[in-house]
Amino acid sequence: MSNLVQKFQQYSSWRNDVKTSLERYRDCVNVIDLADGASDQRFAQMLSRLNEDKLSIAFVAEFSRGKSELINAIFFADYGQRILPTSAGRTTMCPTELLYDETLPPSIRLLPIETRAEAQSTSDFKAQSQVWTVLPLDTSSGDGMLEAFKQVSLTKRVPIAEAASYGLYDETDLDMVLGVDENGMVEISQWRHAIVNFPHPLLKQGLVIIDTPGLNAIGTEPELTLNLIPNAHAVLFILAADTGVTKSDIDIWRNHIGGTGAGRLVVLNKIDSMWDELRTPVEVEQQIDMQVGNVAQILDIPQRQIFPVSAQKGLVGKINADAPLLAKSRLPALESALSNELIPAKQDIIRAQLLAEVRELAASKQALLLSRSRNVVEQLLELKSLRGKNQTILDHMMKRIDMEKTEFDGSLFKLQATRSVFARLSNEVFTHLGMGVMKDEIRRAREAMESSKFTAGLRQAVKEFFLQALHNLELSAQKTDEIGEMMSVMYRKFSTEHGLALSTPMPFSLEKYMKEIDMIEKLYHKQFGAATILTTPQVVLMQKFFDSIASRVKQSFLQANRDVEAWLKVVMAPLEAQIGEHKLQLKRRKKSIEKIHLATDSLEEKVLAFEQMQIEFDAQQVQLKHLENELKAAILAQLGLYKAAA
C-alpha cells in the first residue's frame, strides 16, 4: 500500500472517529434535555460537513504528457491493469471527474457538447439529470471499464459556424484553421463534461480526481478555469521530460495554475526516456537534475516543487511488485509529497471549522447546565433556611420571588422590543442578499453585454456586476453587524441583571464571500484582461465565461443566505434557552414554598429531592465535559495517531 493511500485511509478514519464522538456528544445533550432547534441544526451541519467532505486533486497537462498514465499509476495500480485509456494523442477530450456517490449506480454521465449553446454553466446542468447521457459501468470487468472510459475521448466533426457558436473555434488560431477539412468541418469533443461514478475505495472515502484536457479546453471551458482547478486542494501540472517546457505549457502554468503553494506541484514525467544504457546512473541523474533546474527557472518555482517521475514504469513496478523498478520511477516521492502536505493541510481546514463550532456549542450547553445547577443550589439554600421559620418568613420569601418575577417580566417586555428590531434587521439582510436580487443583477448584466457592440461595453457590464455583488454583500454585512451588537447588549443585560450564565453571542461575518467574489473577478481578468480589443470568438467565449461567473456568484450568495439563516436561528438560542430555564426555576421556587407552609416533613422531603437533583446535575456536568473533551481530542488528533492514543 502506498503512503498516499495509507494517509488517505487514515484521514477517512479520523473523520469517522470525529463523527462517532460528535454523535455521542449530541446523544448526551438529548438525554439530559439540553437540546433545542438551534443546537439540533448545528449538530446536523457539522455531521453533514463530515459526511460530504471531499478531497479533490486536479491533473492538468497538455496532451501526450502521460497524465492518464500517472492517474493509473497513483490510484488504480491495484486493478492490475490500466483503467484510464492511454495511447498516443489525446485520450481525454473533456473535463472528467472521478468520484463516488452512493445514491447512484456505477456509471459514466456525459454532458453533450451542444449544451454550450445555452446560457448555463456545467454546474447548473449538474442538477438537471435529464440532460446527461448515462452509461452503466461494469466495475467487475477491467476491460469493460477501459472501454467505458474511452467515451471521454470521443470527438465529432461539425461546421465552423456551429463550433464558433460554442466558443470552440477561433479563426485567429492557426492550428484551428489548419484543422478545417475540405468540407468546412472541424473536430470538437463529443462531450462537454464527464462524471464517472466509480466505487473505488479511495473515491468512497471522499477523494475526487479531476482529469483535464489540454490547453484549448482549459481556455474555453469556464468550469475548469473558474471552479474545478481553483477549488482543487491539489493541482498536479504534468510536463514531459523529453519535451521540456513548451510554450503551451507556460501558458497553462501562468494563466491557470501558477503558484508556490503546497497544493501546486509540477510533475516532470517520462524520465525513463533519459534512461540510457550508454550512460552511467550518475550521468542519468545529472541529466534529470539539469532538466529539473531548467523547469524551475522557466516556471519561477523552487526545485522542491518539481517531481521527476516515470508514471509508466511506476505502474509496471506496482503491478509486477517490482520494488527496484518502482523506486527507480521515483513515483513514491511524489506520493509522499501529496500525503504529507496535501492531506494534513485539508485536515487542518476542517479541524479549525469544527473546533470553532464545538467550542461555541459546548460553551452554551455548559452554561445552560450550570444555570440549572446554580438554581438548584439556590433553592436548596432557600429551603434549608426555612427550617424552624414561621409563616411570616414564608410570606416574605414569596413576595421576594414575586418581585424577582416582576423584574424579570419587565426585562422580557424590553426583549420583545429587541425581537421586533431583530426581525426587521433580519429582513433587511435579505433585501440585499436574497436570490431574487442576485437573479436581477445577472439578468441586467446579460442584457448589457448583449446590447453592447464594443469591448469596453462588455467589460463594463461585467465590472458593474462584480461591483454590485460586493456592494450587496457589504450592505448585508452592515446589518449582520448591527444584529450582533444588539444581541451582545442583550446578553450583557440579562447576565448582569438576572445572573444568567451568558458570555457573548456567536460571531458572524460575510467576509469570506467577499473574498470569494474578489477571487472570481481576478480569474475573469486573468482570462480577458490583456486584450484591448476582443475578437468575435473571444466575445462568444467571454459570454460563456459570464454564464459560469454568474453561476459561481449565485452559488456563493446561496451559501451566504444559508449561513445567515443558520446564524440568525442560533444567535438568540442561548439567550432564549436561559430565559426559559430562569422562568421555569422561578416558577418551581414559588411552588415549592407554597407547598411547604409549616410542614417540616414536606420541607425535609423537598430538601432531599433538591440534594438529589444537585448530585444528578453535577454528574451530568462531568459526563458532558468528558464527552466534550473526547470530541475535541478526536478533532485535534493527528492522522494515524488517534486510535493509538485513545
Side-chain angles (χ1 to χ4, degrees):
M1 181 188 297
S2 73
N3 189 30
L4 175 62
V5 173
Q6 184 179 21
K7 208 76 166 182
F8 199 84
Q9 288 178 344
Q10 289 172 354
Y11 177 67
S12 179
S13 177
W14 170 80
R15 266 192 325 229
N16 290 333
D17 289 335
V18 174
K19 276 172 55 180
T20 300
S21 295
L22 184 60
E23 287 166 348
R24 290 181 63 188
Y25 184 79
R26 178 200 60 192
D27 293 344
C28 179
V29 166
N30 289 333
V31 167
I32 60 181
D33 197 26
L34 292 174
D36 53 45
S39 62
D40 288 345
Q41 183 183 42
R42 293 177 77 173
F43 278 123
Q45 285 175 338
M46 284 188 279
L47 287 169
S48 176
R49 181 178 293 124
L50 288 164
N51 286 327
E52 297 172 9
D53 179 46
K54 302 291 183 184
L55 186 80
S56 59
I57 302 178
F59 290 75
V60 181
E62 269 289 43
F63 68 93
S64 296
R65 301 292 191 268
K67 172 172 50 64
S68 297
E69 189 79 318
L70 184 62
I71 296 174
N72 282 324
I74 294 176
F75 298 107
F76 302 132
D78 289 345
Y79 282 84
Q81 67 176 75
R82 294 182 175 92
I83 296 300
L84 298 186
T86 59
S87 59
R90 296 179 183 269
T91 56
T92 304
M93 289 298 295
C94 68
T96 304
E97 293 179 78
L98 288 84
L99 47 80
Y100 182 64
D101 181 349
E102 63 181 6
T103 65
L104 298 172
S107 60
I108 297 182
R109 298 171 64 209
L110 299 156
L111 183 64
I113 197 67
E114 288 77 12
T115 58
R116 285 183 66 96
E118 301 181 39
Q120 295 187 72
S121 70
T122 302
S123 294
D124 294 328
F125 282 116
K126 284 182 178 180
Q128 304 173 34
S129 58
Q130 74 281 1
V131 180
W132 297 72
T133 297
V134 182
L135 303 176
L137 190 64
D138 182 6
T139 57
S140 64
S141 167
D143 292 334
M145 283 200 294
L146 190 60
E147 280 302 311
F149 273 102
K150 287 180 180 178
Q151 285 289 329
V152 299
S153 63
L154 295 182
T155 61
K156 61 194 295 187
R157 302 194 76 83
V158 298
I160 290 175
E162 183 178 343
S165 71
Y166 299 153
L168 299 177
Y169 182 80
D170 184 351
E171 70 270 12
T172 64
D173 187 322
L174 184 59
D175 289 337
M176 288 188 180
V177 173
L178 292 174
V180 180
D181 65 18
E182 65 275 9
N183 298 316
M185 309 285 276
V186 293
E187 185 181 40
I188 63 172
S189 172
Q190 186 168 325
W191 310 109
R192 180 179 182 180
H193 198 85
I195 299 176
V196 182
N197 194 45
F198 181 24
H200 182 277
L202 288 180
L203 301 183
K204 280 184 174 182
Q205 293 169 19
L207 178 68
V208 177
I209 300 170
I210 302 163
D211 187 7
T212 66
L215 174 62
N216 286 342
I218 291 177
T220 57
E221 180 47 67
E223 185 72 8
L224 287 172
T225 306
L226 294 169
N227 191 10
L228 293 178
I229 292 176
N231 289 334
H233 300 101
V235 177
L236 270 62
F237 182 49
I238 300 119
L239 305 171
D242 53 356
T243 59
V245 186
T246 66
K247 182 181 181 300
S248 60
D249 289 328
I250 294 172
D251 288 340
I252 293 177
W253 177 259
R254 290 179 179 170
N255 296 325
H256 303 289
I257 302 171
T260 56
R264 298 293 182 265
L265 305 178
V266 174
V267 179
L268 187 61
N269 194 20
K270 302 187 179 182
I271 60 169
D272 54 295
S273 65
M274 298 180 180
W275 298 352
D276 189 337
E277 293 179 1
L278 299 179
R279 292 193 185 102
T280 66
V282 172
E283 289 173 331
V284 171
E285 289 297 310
Q286 288 174 342
Q287 190 176 11
I288 292 173
D289 290 343
M290 184 176 68
Q291 188 74 300
V292 168
N294 290 337
V295 171
Q297 184 177 6
I298 294 171
L299 299 184
D300 191 24
I301 57 173
Q303 291 191 22
R304 65 175 181 276
Q305 211 173 324
I306 303 169
F307 293 85
V309 304
S310 170
Q312 192 268 337
K313 300 305 180 189
L315 178 63
V316 172
K318 283 186 175 183
I319 290 174
N320 294 335
D322 186 340
L325 182 60
L326 179 59
K328 191 177 180 183
S329 75
R330 298 198 187 187
L331 189 65
L334 172 61
E335 293 178 333
S336 292
L338 283 170
S339 61
N340 294 330
E341 294 182 25
L342 167 65
I343 297 176
K346 180 67 172 75
Q347 185 191 29
D348 287 343
I349 293 171
I350 193 167
R351 173 191 283 134
Q353 293 172 336
L354 289 171
L355 270 181
E357 292 201 38
V358 167
R359 282 170 179 155
E360 181 71 31
L361 185 62
S364 67
K365 295 308 172 189
Q366 283 289 352
L368 185 56
L369 197 52
L370 186 63
S371 174
R372 287 183 185 178
S373 180
R374 190 181 63 246
N375 279 313
V376 168
V377 171
E378 288 174 359
Q379 289 188 68
L380 191 55
L381 291 172
E382 204 169 55
L383 289 173
K384 287 181 177 179
S385 71
L386 294 178
R387 286 170 171 156
K389 298 293 191 299
N390 57 27
Q391 185 66 43
T392 305
I393 300 296
L394 289 172
D395 291 341
H396 174 72
M397 296 188 74
M398 288 284 288
K399 287 177 182 177
R400 193 176 74 185
I401 292 172
D402 287 337
M403 187 170 65
E404 281 185 43
K405 186 176 183 304
T406 302
E407 290 176 357
F408 192 66
D409 288 343
S411 295
L412 293 182
F413 182 76
K414 292 176 184 176
L415 179 63
Q416 204 55 45
T418 302
R419 284 196 181 103
S420 299
V421 177
F422 181 87
R424 175 177 60 79
L425 289 173
S426 298
N427 289 331
E428 290 177 5
V429 171
F430 295 108
T431 300
H432 308 289
L433 197 65
M435 296 311 296
V437 175
M438 174 48 57
K439 288 176 182 176
D440 288 341
E441 297 296 343
I442 292 171
R443 177 182 51 76
R444 274 193 287 271
R446 280 202 178 110
E447 289 173 355
M449 291 178 73
E450 289 168 6
S451 63
S452 178
K453 298 179 181 178
F454 301 100
T455 297
L458 287 167
R459 287 203 171 102
Q460 186 61 30
V462 181
K463 181 181 178 181
E464 288 293 335
F465 173 74
F466 280 116
L467 283 173
Q468 193 58 51
L470 284 170
H471 183 59
N472 286 339
L473 282 171
E474 287 164 359
L475 290 173
S476 298
Q478 290 173 11
K479 298 302 177 183
T480 57
D481 289 346
E482 282 186 54
I483 292 171
E485 181 56 37
M486 181 182 69
M487 293 310 302
S488 293
V489 171
M490 293 308 299
Y491 272 49
R492 287 195 296 270
K493 175 181 174 61
F494 277 88
S495 295
T496 305
E497 296 180 6
H498 304 289
L500 271 58
L502 293 163
S503 51
T504 55
M506 179 183 176
F508 183 78
S509 173
L510 287 168
E511 186 179 357
K512 71 175 181 178
Y513 295 105
M514 296 179 196
K515 288 181 178 178
E516 191 168 328
I517 301 300
D518 185 57
M519 182 269 291
I520 297 169
E521 185 174 12
K522 285 177 180 174
L523 289 171
Y524 154 75
H525 283 303
K526 210 170 187 179
Q527 191 78 15
F528 297 102
T532 306
I533 302 297
L534 297 177
T535 64
T536 301
Q538 286 175 317
V539 169
V540 173
L541 187 57
M542 185 178 183
Q543 291 169 335
K544 298 298 176 194
F545 264 75
F546 182 76
D547 294 338
S548 284
I549 286 168
S551 175
R552 181 79 186 275
V553 173
K554 191 165 61 177
Q555 285 300 314
S556 291
F557 267 68
L558 183 61
Q559 190 56 52
N561 272 267
R562 289 172 180 163
D563 285 354
V564 170
E565 286 175 3
W567 177 69
L568 291 173
K569 287 178 182 177
V570 303
V571 70
M572 200 178 271
L575 180 60
E576 298 277 16
Q578 294 233 15
I579 284 172
E581 189 67 30
H582 194 70
K583 286 170 69 176
L584 183 62
Q585 294 302 335
L586 284 173
K587 187 176 179 181
R588 285 175 177 169
R589 282 171 60 193
K590 185 174 180 179
K591 196 171 182 181
S592 294
I593 295 174
E594 283 175 344
K595 284 185 175 180
I596 290 170
H597 298 296
L598 294 177
T600 306
D601 55 343
S602 177
L603 174 60
E604 293 305 320
E605 286 174 6
K606 284 287 181 184
V607 168
L608 287 171
F610 275 97
E611 286 177 340
Q612 184 59 40
M613 285 174 65
Q614 184 182 0
I615 292 170
E616 289 174 4
F617 281 141
D618 289 345
Q620 288 174 358
Q621 279 183 291
V622 170
Q623 182 187 14
L624 194 65
K625 192 65 182 176
H626 172 74
L627 290 173
E628 176 192 331
N629 290 337
E630 183 184 88
L631 174 56
K632 288 178 179 176
I635 295 172
L636 288 168
Q638 296 298 315
L639 294 181
L641 300 179
Y642 177 65
K643 288 185 176 177

